Amino acid sequence: MANGDCCSTQLIDGDGTFNVSGIETFMKEVKFSECGLSYAVVSIMGPQSSGKSTLLNNLFRTNFREMDAFKGRSQTTKGIWMASCSGIEPCTVVMDLEGTDGRERGEDDTAFEKQSALFALAVSDIVLINMWCHDIGREQAANKPLLKTVFQVMMRLFSPRKTTLLFVIRDKTRTPLENLEPVLREDIQKIWDSVPKPQAHKETPLSEFFNVEVTALSSYEEKEEQFKEQVANLRQRFQHSIAPGGLAGDRRGVVPASGFSFSAQQMWKIIKENKDLDLPAHKVMVATVRCEEIANEKYATFASNEEWCQIEEAIQSGPVHGFGKKLNSLLGACLSEYDAEATYFDEGVRSAKQKQLQEKLLQLVQPSFLSALGHIRSGIVDKFKDVFDKALNRGEGFSLAANNCIESSMAQFGEACADVVIELADWDTSKVREKLRRDIDAHVASVRAEKLSELTSLYEEKLKDALSGPVEALLDEANTDTWSSIKKLLRRETESAVFGFSAALAGFDMDEDTRQKMISAIADYARGVVEGKAKDEAGRVLIRMKDRFTMLFSHDADSMPRVWTGKEDIRAITKTARSASLKLLSVMAVIRLDDGDADNIEKTLVVALTDSSSSNVTDRSITTVDPLASSTWEKVPSSKTLITPVQCKSLWRQFKTETEYSVSQAISAQEANKRSNNWLPPAWAVVALVILGFNEFMTLLRNPLYLLVIFIGYLLIKALWVQLDVSGEFRNGALPGLLSLSTKFVPTVMNLMKKLADEGHIPTPDNNPQRNPPKSDGSAASSSASSSKSNVTMLDNGTKHDRTEHSSSSKFE
């Protein structure tokens, strides 16, 4: 029959008769013979009333007869029907197989089901296996017995041809497809592995015959729109299905379309005549289905049991007392109920399903069992930590306390495991025991490391306190015995620390190698403290050198500040102070903690720095090699070098530059002291003054008025000196001072004369003329001189303010 673009026919009727005329007519109507190799054959099989025809009609737009749900569930498709697919390239035909496990054929007449399934697998490129989602995991519902027989017979009858098995899961639930697909694939692989194979295919994998694909569809009745959307997406996979990588990409053994009718007839004939397709006994099938139903029912009852749910919930948060006893009782009751209901079914099937039920139950309770073991483990670990800490606080040896606590904890774990053991399961607790031991060992190792770290830190701190201060003081002194004193101090403190540290390590029961390494680390730390302090002090060597120079240069032997009176030998004092500073530099240059360390550095520095600056060697040959022109000391490794020769030379140059000022200041102070103590002119100058100035002296004696004139001149010059601030003007230099005085001289003289004139016009008060009789010429001169001195003084005092203002004004200008 034809309906629009779709044409269909019954290929094989319900009695197994091949419809030769029908397929010939079908091939003519769809022009199938003209397709060559460009065609695909799709078939579908599955349980009766599982919606196969409905799926094909929606997927390929065919017109297969569908079941009327309102009339009850019954057989709709009889035999095998074939139809052309509409709107799919290349030309695709689909075969709708009679549903399996139908009541219409009865319990024992299922050979046709196997034959039709084998025929579909033989002629089809793609076989859809329609199954309910809730049937996944069941032995019969997924056509697994059917497939097992088909696999075995197909390998014997036909050469390998890779067929795509597309499992269509109907009425998909909320279980994700990624969880359902592995179960199906595992079941198919198990069927393949269990099938007896001929010698030619002993090692042939399933992938050589079949390509297994899985898809899922929602319920057609409850979610019709979603179902149709998913079917539309699935339909796209059948477009160009025979292309490489397509759904039917493997085309080995395909016959041309013109020979398809004859090929199909011959294949059905071979299948009908084959005797290996006999079905297993019906009672076995019934027992398989019924026992599985009973097992599933008991499993569901156990899973929803209130007592089990309480145990499962409680075990998540903490241990449950009597866990093993309670579970053993529940599991025993569940299996006993199964045995009671399945006692009349086939013993082999009943036992197999009981074993499966037991495995499922054990899988259900195993997480709780592991949780119970986990609680036991964590509780024992916590208890171990508490007991172990208390034992250490009581002063017990570390190793002794750890061994006693570990032995006690492992015994407690064995006792606690007996309370949670499941009798039906042979579960091994050794892994949990090993993890418990690892946790305990890890805690012991952590505490051990912490204690050893504290012990090491304690002795390191003691060494640091015992060495840092004394080493700094010894290096500050910096004499010939400095490093020998430091070595003695280091040896003494190291031996003391090692003795105490070794005694403390005795309680940790460690191997000798580890013990020696830790002791060596303490000794190395002590040496490191000394070397670190030496490096710190070497970084401040210039400051130390200047401090030492200042102390020796500026203080005498009694540590009193020097007063440069002129008697001191500054050159000798400077040389002594610099030699002491050079000694400090030589001591700080390298670390000398080992016997045999080079100790000629001081001589090298003296020759290179002190002698090189002496006038005795100013004519040295230009070919002389500078001993400090190097980055290393002779016979001294770089690890022991604190200050390289080149750095010593640079430091000495900087030291001399920064201390020359103190020397020059001392020389200046000494010369100033000498000048202040020798204010009189030399004796020869005094004699010359007496001889050469005799006539002038006699003149002054004969004319005392000259003395008055000289005195008045002195007063005038002093007034001008003060008024002009001569010393202040010359602070900024001779030339600026002369220029400033030249501008101020005339105004100052005029101002001074004006003041004197004003003083001369002031009338002298004469209240008592009788008390002031006239005086002689000498008295008058004396009085005049006194008056002049008074006037000059007043002038000086009176003009101070003007001078200050004038000076400020001049500076501002």
Side-chain angles (χ1 to χ4, degrees):
M1 63 181 177
N3 184 10
D5 293 335
C6 177
C7 180
S8 62
T9 186
Q10 187 178 33
L11 182 63
I12 300 173
D13 63 17
D15 298 327
T17 303
F18 194 91
N19 187 3
V20 179
S21 59
I23 191 172
E24 293 295 339
T25 304
F26 172 83
M27 293 181 66
K28 290 179 180 179
E29 288 183 1
V30 299
K31 300 180 181 181
F32 189 75
S33 300
E34 301 174 4
C35 295
L37 297 177
S38 181
Y39 71 95
V41 181
V42 180
S43 60
I44 187 170
M45 63 182 180
Q48 179 177 300
S49 304
S50 61
K52 299 188 300 299
S53 301
T54 302
L55 174 60
L56 293 180
N57 292 339
N58 283 274
L59 182 60
F60 300 109
R61 299 173 186 170
T62 55
N63 54 6
F64 293 118
R65 180 186 172 193
E66 299 179 9
M67 183 190 73
D68 188 351
F70 294 97
K71 295 181 179 180
R73 308 186 71 83
S74 62
Q75 187 179 51
T76 304
T77 302
K78 295 183 179 181
I80 300 176
W81 285 78
M82 176 181 285
S84 62
C85 301
S86 175
I88 293 182
E89 292 294 334
C91 179
T92 302
V93 294
V94 59
M95 295 189 301
D96 187 10
L97 276 66
E98 178 179 326
T100 62
D101 198 21
R103 66 180 182 86
E104 286 80 4
R105 286 193 176 271
E107 296 181 351
D108 298 323
D109 189 14
T110 56
F112 180 81
E113 297 174 1
K114 300 299 183 181
Q115 293 169 350
S116 61
L118 182 56
F119 175 78
L121 286 168
V123 302
S124 302
D125 299 297
I126 306 168
V127 177
L128 305 179
I129 299 178
N130 201 51
M131 60 183 301
W132 299 112
C133 181
H134 56 74
D135 287 339
I136 293 178
R138 295 182 177 179
E139 190 67 22
Q140 300 298 324
N143 300 292
K144 286 187 283 187
L146 172 65
L147 288 176
K148 183 173 182 180
T149 305
V150 168
F151 285 168
Q152 183 176 357
V153 177
M154 183 178 182
M155 283 189 300
R156 184 168 58 83
L157 292 179
F158 309 108
S159 60
R161 179 190 178 191
K162 197 167 185 178
T163 304
T164 298
L165 297 181
L166 177 58
F167 285 81
V168 181
I169 302 173
R170 304 292 296 276
D171 292 359
K172 177 182 173 296
T173 61
R174 286 183 291 182
T175 303
L177 179 61
E178 54 265 29
N179 293 343
L180 297 173
E181 183 176 351
V183 178
L184 273 176
R185 291 183 178 275
E186 184 179 359
D187 290 342
I188 297 300
Q189 186 63 45
K190 287 181 179 179
I191 294 173
W192 178 261
D193 293 338
S194 64
V195 168
K197 303 178 182 66
Q199 190 64 33
H201 299 299
K202 279 289 185 182
E203 303 299 329
T204 304
L206 173 66
S207 58
E208 188 70 18
F209 284 86
F210 300 102
N211 178 28
V212 178
E213 298 285 343
V214 180
T215 188
L217 300 176
S218 300
S219 173
Y220 176 74
E221 296 179 357
E222 299 177 2
K223 301 177 180 179
E224 183 176 355
E225 293 298 326
Q226 188 174 356
F227 173 84
K228 291 182 177 180
E229 180 181 352
Q230 292 170 349
V231 167
N233 293 333
L234 181 60
R235 176 182 172 86
Q236 296 300 319
R237 299 184 63 182
F238 289 85
Q239 294 285 355
H240 307 290
S241 60
I242 64 174
L247 202 58
D250 188 350
R251 303 283 286 167
R252 289 179 297 176
V254 65
V255 298
S258 59
F260 178 79
S261 175
F262 178 77
S263 175
Q265 294 178 49
Q266 295 300 315
M267 207 167 287
W268 179 247
K269 180 180 180 181
I270 295 172
I271 291 174
K272 285 283 288 182
E273 294 175 354
N274 190 272
K275 302 302 182 181
D276 292 336
L277 294 177
D278 292 338
L279 295 175
H282 180 68
K283 63 175 184 178
V284 174
M285 297 176 60
V286 174
T288 300
V289 174
R290 184 57 187 149
C291 288
E292 185 170 355
E293 290 177 352
I294 296 173
N296 290 337
E297 179 184 348
K298 298 308 173 187
Y299 176 83
T301 302
F302 179 88
S304 61
N305 183 276
E306 183 178 356
E307 185 178 359
W308 156 245
C309 292
Q310 291 176 354
I311 294 174
E312 186 180 27
E313 182 179 358
I315 202 65
Q316 301 301 321
S317 57
V320 175
H321 181 68
F323 174 85
K325 184 177 181 180
K326 294 178 180 178
L327 274 187
N328 286 326
S329 176
L330 291 174
L331 291 172
C334 180
L335 293 175
S336 297
E337 293 174 1
Y338 168 83
D339 289 337
E341 294 188 26
T343 184
Y344 298 108
F345 292 102
D346 182 81
E347 183 179 359
V349 175
R350 183 179 71 242
S351 299
K353 295 301 178 182
Q354 184 194 43
K355 186 177 181 180
Q356 293 179 5
L357 173 61
Q358 181 176 317
E359 291 177 354
K360 290 178 63 177
L361 291 173
L362 292 179
Q363 289 178 359
L364 179 64
V365 302
Q366 188 176 27
S368 297
F369 173 76
L370 295 177
S371 297
L373 289 180
H375 292 310
I376 293 173
R377 180 186 56 79
S378 59
I380 291 178
V381 170
D382 293 338
K383 188 175 181 180
F384 170 82
K385 293 178 180 179
D386 184 54
V387 174
F388 185 48
D389 289 342
K390 290 180 179 178
L392 293 178
N393 293 334
R394 288 196 302 268
E396 291 186 25
F398 185 90
S399 297
L400 179 62
N403 292 334
N404 292 338
C405 293
I406 289 175
E407 183 178 354
S408 174
S409 296
M410 299 310 295
Q412 293 174 12
F413 178 78
E415 296 173 359
C417 284
D419 183 59
V420 298
V421 68
I422 305 298
E423 296 175 354
L424 295 176
D426 188 18
W427 289 332
D428 187 11
T429 61
S430 59
K431 291 185 178 179
V432 181
R433 177 183 291 273
E434 291 173 0
K435 189 174 189 319
L436 170 64
R437 184 58 187 265
R438 289 196 301 270
D439 292 343
I440 291 177
D441 290 343
H443 178 72
V444 171
S446 174
V447 175
R448 178 194 183 95
E450 182 181 354
K451 295 295 182 183
L452 289 176
S453 178
E454 292 176 358
L455 189 62
T456 303
S457 299
L458 174 64
Y459 278 90
E460 286 179 350
E461 192 66 28
K462 288 182 178 180
L463 282 171
K464 186 176 181 180
D465 293 340
L467 292 173
S468 295
V471 169
E472 183 177 353
L474 290 171
L475 291 175
D476 189 33
E477 293 296 330
N479 52 45
T480 306
D481 299 329
T482 294
W483 282 108
S484 61
S485 300
I486 291 176
K487 284 192 287 187
K488 292 178 182 178
L489 173 67
L490 175 61
R491 187 181 303 111
R492 184 179 67 250
E493 295 298 336
T494 301
E495 289 176 355
S496 175
V498 166
F499 178 79
F501 188 66
S502 179
L505 292 178
F508 286 89
D509 191 22
M510 61 178 60
D511 59 275
E512 187 62 22
D513 289 341
T514 305
R515 179 174 172 276
Q516 288 301 325
K517 287 181 181 178
M518 296 188 68
I519 293 175
S520 298
I522 285 292
D524 293 341
Y525 178 82
R527 186 184 181 98
V529 170
V530 175
E531 292 179 353
K533 180 55 67 175
K535 290 178 182 178
D536 292 342
E537 293 302 314
R540 297 192 291 268
V541 67
L542 182 61
I543 298 174
R544 297 285 192 185
M545 290 169 64
K546 292 192 294 184
D547 291 344
R548 175 166 290 194
F549 177 85
T550 303
M551 177 60 67
L552 296 178
F553 184 78
S554 301
H555 296 78
D556 57 18
D558 297 328
S559 298
M560 298 297 293
R562 292 185 189 275
V563 178
W564 305 103
T565 61
K567 300 177 182 179
E568 296 81 4
D569 187 354
I570 294 179
R571 180 179 297 275
I573 294 173
T574 302
K575 185 176 181 180
T576 301
R578 285 180 175 173
S579 297
S581 298
L582 188 62
K583 176 69 176 178
L584 188 146
L585 180 61
S586 67
V587 170
M588 297 298 299
V590 298
I591 297 172
R592 302 176 181 88
L593 292 178
D594 298 320
D595 296 333
D597 285 335
D599 204 13
N600 58 349
I601 294 175
E602 183 178 3
K603 296 178 182 178
T604 303
L605 292 176
V606 169
V607 171
L609 299 178
T610 306
D611 294 347
S612 63
S613 61
S614 175
S615 61
N616 297 330
V617 292
T618 54
D619 297 331
R620 289 189 304 170
S621 172
I622 60 174
T623 61
T624 303
V625 178
D626 186 357
L628 298 184
S630 174
S631 60
T632 58
W633 296 101
E634 185 179 358
K635 298 181 181 180
V636 177
S638 59
S639 60
K640 294 184 179 181
T641 301
L642 297 176
I643 307 173
T644 64
V646 174
Q647 291 173 338
C648 286
K649 188 173 183 179
S650 176
L651 287 169
W652 184 255
R653 187 182 298 113
Q654 186 176 355
F655 164 75
K656 288 185 65 177
T657 301
E658 295 184 10
T659 57
E660 282 178 356
Y661 177 76
S662 298
V663 178
S664 63
Q665 286 292 97
I667 295 173
S668 299
Q670 192 178 59
E671 291 177 353
N673 197 314
K674 289 180 180 180
R675 286 196 300 270
S676 64
N677 291 334
N678 295 327
W679 58 275
L680 293 175
W684 62 268
V686 175
V687 175
L689 285 174
V690 171
I691 295 173
L692 298 176
F694 180 76
N695 293 332
E696 287 75 6
F697 181 70
M698 294 305 294
T699 302
L700 290 176
L701 290 179
R702 294 191 188 99
N703 298 292
L705 186 59
Y706 287 162
L707 293 174
L708 178 61
V709 173
I710 292 172
F711 181 69
I712 292 173
Y714 166 74
L715 293 177
L716 290 174
I717 291 172
K718 181 179 180 182
L720 284 173
W721 185 276
V722 174
Q723 188 75 11
L724 293 173
D725 191 17
V726 175
S727 59
E729 295 293 343
F730 280 96
R731 289 194 191 100
N732 298 324
L735 182 60
L738 290 174
L739 292 175
S740 179
L741 289 176
S742 65
T743 58
K744 293 167 56 179
F745 181 76
V746 175
T748 303
V749 172
M750 296 300 295
N751 189 30
L752 184 61
M753 296 302 294
K754 183 179 179 181
K755 294 276 186 183
L756 289 174
D758 292 341
E759 289 292 334
H761 289 294
I762 295 174
T764 303
D766 191 7
N767 296 328
N768 195 358
Q770 288 82 8
R771 299 183 62 180
N772 296 292
K775 296 182 180 179
S776 62
D777 292 341
S779 299
S782 177
S783 176
S784 176
S786 298
S787 176
S788 299
K789 180 178 181 180
S790 176
N791 290 336
V792 171
T793 304
M794 292 175 63
L795 178 62
D796 181 35
N797 294 333
T799 57
K800 283 182 180 179
H801 181 69
D802 296 337
R803 174 175 55 81
T804 304
E805 291 181 355
H806 179 73
S807 176
S808 301
S809 177
S810 299
K811 292 178 181 178
F812 179 76
E813 293 171 358

